[in-house]
Amino acid sequence: MRPIVMEEVEALRGVNSVKVKEAHEQGRKIVGMYCIFSPSEIALAADAISVSLCGTSQDPIEEAEKELPRNLCPLIKSSYGFAITDKCPYFYFSDVLLAETTCDGKKKMYELMGKLKPMHVMNLPQTANDEDSLEFWKREMVKFKGFLENQFNTKITDEKLRDAIRLMNRERNVMKRLHKLNAHKPAPLAGTDMMKAQWLKGFNVDKEAGIELIERLIAEVEDRVEKGIYAFDEKAPRILLTGTPIGVGSDKVLKALEEAGASVVAFENCTGYKGLDVMVDEDKDPITALAEKYLSTPCSCMTNNNGRLDLIRRMVDEYKVDGVVDLTWQACHTYNIESYTVKKFVQEELGLPFIQIETDYSDSDTGQVKVRVEAFLETLDSRSLV
Amino acid sequence: MNYIGIDIGSTAAKVTVFNDNALVDNYALPTGWSSVETAKAIRTRLEKGGVDLSSSKVVATGYGRISVPYADKTVTEITCHGAGTTYLFGKNATVIDIGGQDTKIITLVDGKVADFVMNDKCAAGTGKFLELMSNTLGVGIEELARMALEGENIAITSMCTVFAESEVISLIGAGTKRESIARGIVNSITGRVYALLHKHGAKDPVFLTGGLCEIEPFVHLLSEKIGTPVKTNSMARYAGSIGAALIAMKI
Ligand code: SF4
Ligand code: SF4
């Protein structure tokens, strides 16, 4: 049985689409974002609502392929498909969009998307490793702030930025605590539930209510741990999932893993723990603090991206991981290429089994994904040896 | 007691029967259109051969593994090919299995699958590709491989089966020697295996399982391409079902 609060978490999607409509009708401004490089704090400081628009469903891909190439990452096609089909209330009610120059596919797709709604594109440096990049990124923060001030005819003060930073840090903290519950062996929360809780948070209109809900989920799960109720038993292999973002609709590998008996305890991807690891410094000048935090995101768009390896190492330890699964979307060059580095690192330095699974959002390879996943789990299970 | 391994692949189903520790039977039958029907046919044949299923242990593997209602357990073909290779060849090897639907590379260390890769979802580099291309040339796979030995070392560059087929057709149209086209077709398989093998990180010895191991010219050309002698065994076609039967012993 699942924690009861999970039902409330799942209902968030419906609830929030109504809330977003109401907010719009009341004249609240809505900023649609696509990436964890997006500084939501600046939107919040403009008294706007920030929502995540990252496409995780196969549905609008066919439409998107009328304008975009087929051999493009499904996340990009899905995001664009939602934009042109008006199927996503969150896109529909967004007043402005924020994009970043992350991977080439997204960057070029944004040029098309920018024709649909006012869009601001932040220029993301290609590396996080030098002072110049940080200075550059700071200026990008200021430009985005200026863009919102203009669009919404408002003034974003340092005071408001500080409030927003504190609020977002609290949200990060509560999500972080939720993730860390699964460091417990056996894991009290199914990976699919963890993913949902994290994913649905992206649509939260009312941050305070969202924080309170997760607090209650944590309390319930802690209570279950005390009573010895877990999502998996002691013997279930513990998996760390890394790689490209996932969400409801693009979670087939996660589902296949848990259906085959694994317990996905750790999510290193950007729709998991990646964005929660580092907090925004509340004592520094807000723009500097924001620039530092967001630039530190260990995404494969950055060169180099050694921070990802470091994060994997720490999470493998903390979550007592038995094997690492690297999910990459087809045609995602950055993650596909980086997978080789991650493989070497996991196998040679961490001494753990590793598998890369490359797929898309469709169901066409469900059988193959199942074989890969099951075979991988068999390699972890010494009992199946001859 | 009988231990039975059933490997239902996309083109052929393989069956292995052990009587206690002795391997007593191996056979193959075409999978046909339904793996459920194939599983029934296997059951009939086993019972005719005097196997009492109620007192046997059965492990099913391969794409049709879930269609065997009388199996005690299902295990993926990766683990089974690993176990089968341990039995046929040894505990340490890089196993290449060119199946109907996919090609796999498996690293065996101390009789345990340490790592594996499979090709992506398209048919290039699989047995299916070879089958389709030999149909286009109007010969059997064995004949194709034999012809390839005499052909010039040309390349079929299309990665996708559909385009490769039209490439073959235009080569035929241009009057290219059939032997060379055959060589191009085999090259395209061995080239894919080579790439997969190197990305995976191959260690000697290399052992080939699956239907193609019986085709000597193919084994020769594969060895040449990957630069190391490919070992195989007359029973390597049954590596999956042998492995499944061995796993059945552990239930
Ligand atoms: S993977 Fe990187 S670029 Fe893609 S959404 Fe996540 S942080 Fe952004
Ligand atoms: S998954 Fe890869 S290709 Fe797709 S948007 Fe993210 S970085 Fe770009």
Side-chain angles (χ1 to χ4, degrees), chain B residues 16-195:
Chain B
T16 293
V17 181
F18 272 82
N19 193 348
D20 290 334
N21 278 326
L23 201 169
V24 291
D25 205 3
N26 277 325
Y27 53 86
L29 54 165
T31 302
W33 57 275
S34 149
S35 39
V36 176
E37 291 303 318
T38 312
K40 274 192 198 151
I42 293 171
R43 178 179 199 137
T44 313
R45 182 155 170 185
L46 283 168
E47 283 169 349
K48 268 192 191 152
V51 172
D52 175 17
L53 280 175
S54 62
S55 68
S56 306
K57 292 282 180 221
V58 181
V59 166
T61 184
Y63 269 84
R65 65 189 180 284
I66 42 165
S67 315
V68 187
Y70 49 91
D72 297 289
K73 193 178 175 181
T74 60
V75 177
T76 64
E77 49 272 41
I78 310 277
T79 304
C80 289
H81 275 268
T85 300
T86 308
Y87 178 84
L88 293 172
F89 180 72
K91 287 183 162 185
N92 294 292
T94 300
V95 184
I96 303 174
D97 174 51
I98 304 176
Q101 269 189 29
D102 44 48
T103 293
K104 317 168 195 64
I105 313 278
I106 304 164
T107 307
L108 261 188
V109 177
D110 281 335
K112 190 179 186 306
V113 174
D115 195 10
F116 68 92
V117 278
M118 275 164 85
N119 67 326
D120 45 39
K121 57 180 171 179
C122 87
T126 68
K128 192 86 206 148
F129 178 82
L130 213 52
E131 194 186 310
L132 288 169
M133 293 306 128
S134 49
N135 281 345
T136 312
L137 270 189
V139 295
I141 292 183
E142 285 203 58
E143 178 61 10
L144 179 108
R146 201 198 45 71
M147 280 161 60
L149 281 181
E150 268 128 51
E152 275 172 56
N153 208 356
I154 68 164
I156 307 269
T157 49
S158 303
M159 284 292 207
C160 165
T161 317
V162 181
F163 295 124
E165 188 165 20
S166 33
E167 200 174 330
V168 166
I169 291 169
S170 48
L171 285 171
I172 297 174
T176 310
K177 268 177 62 188
R178 285 159 56 80
E179 283 77 8
S180 304
I181 301 176
R183 179 63 183 266
I185 293 167
V186 171
N187 280 348
S188 133
I189 301 275
T190 53
R192 293 280 287 194
V193 172
Y194 174 83

Side-chain angles (χ1 to χ4, degrees), chain A residues 330 340 343 347 354-356 358 360 362 364-365 367-368 370-372 374-376 378-380 382 384-386, chain B residues 63 65 74-79 83 101-102 111-113 115-121 199-200 243 246-247 250:
Chain A
Q330 262 162 24
Y340 189 73
K343 175 183 170 144
Q347 289 181 336
F354 169 93
I355 187 176
Q356 180 197 8
E358 187 186 348
D360 60 10
S362 75
S364 62
D365 61 349
Q368 288 228 358
K370 245 178 100 114
V371 173
R372 283 173 164 81
E374 287 175 16
F376 180 64
E378 284 164 7
T379 65
L380 300 183
S382 53
S384 70
L385 284 186
V386 177
Chain B
Y63 269 84
R65 65 189 180 284
T74 60
V75 177
T76 64
E77 49 272 41
I78 310 277
T79 304
Q101 269 189 29
D102 44 48
K112 190 179 186 306
V113 174
D115 195 10
F116 68 92
V117 278
M118 275 164 85
N119 67 326
D120 45 39
K121 57 180 171 179
K199 194 172 176 208
H200 180 71
L246 293 166
I247 292 167
K250 301 273 157 172

Side-chain angles (χ1 to χ4, degrees), chain A residues 52-71:
Chain A
S52 160
L53 298 177
C54 177
T56 58
S57 152
Q58 172 73 18
D59 293 344
I61 286 188
E62 206 182 318
E63 272 309 301
E65 283 177 350
K66 290 183 181 161
E67 296 174 34
L68 296 174
R70 290 199 58 189
N71 63 338

Side-chain angles (χ1 to χ4, degrees), chain A residues 133-171:
Chain A
S133 295
L134 185 64
E135 286 309 314
F136 182 88
W137 189 229
K138 260 162 72 176
R139 287 198 293 276
E140 288 298 308
M141 292 280 161
V142 175
K143 280 189 214 159
F144 174 52
K145 180 172 149 252
F147 169 80
L148 286 188
E149 287 177 330
N150 252 325
Q151 287 284 327
F152 299 160
N153 196 15
T154 179
K155 183 93 195 97
I156 300 176
T157 60
D158 275 7
E159 206 34 54
K160 285 195 160 174
L161 275 175
R162 285 210 171 85
D163 286 345
I165 287 173
R166 278 191 291 267
L167 178 61
M168 286 299 295
N169 273 350
R170 277 174 50 224
E171 187 189 82

Side-chain angles (χ1 to χ4, degrees), chain A residues 34-37 75 102-103 106 244-245 270 297 299-301 335:
Chain A
Y34 286 89
C35 183
I36 54 159
F37 280 107
L75 188 157
T102 49
C103 64
K106 262 189 169 172
T244 49
C270 70
T297 308
C299 170
S300 67
C301 297
Y335 277 97

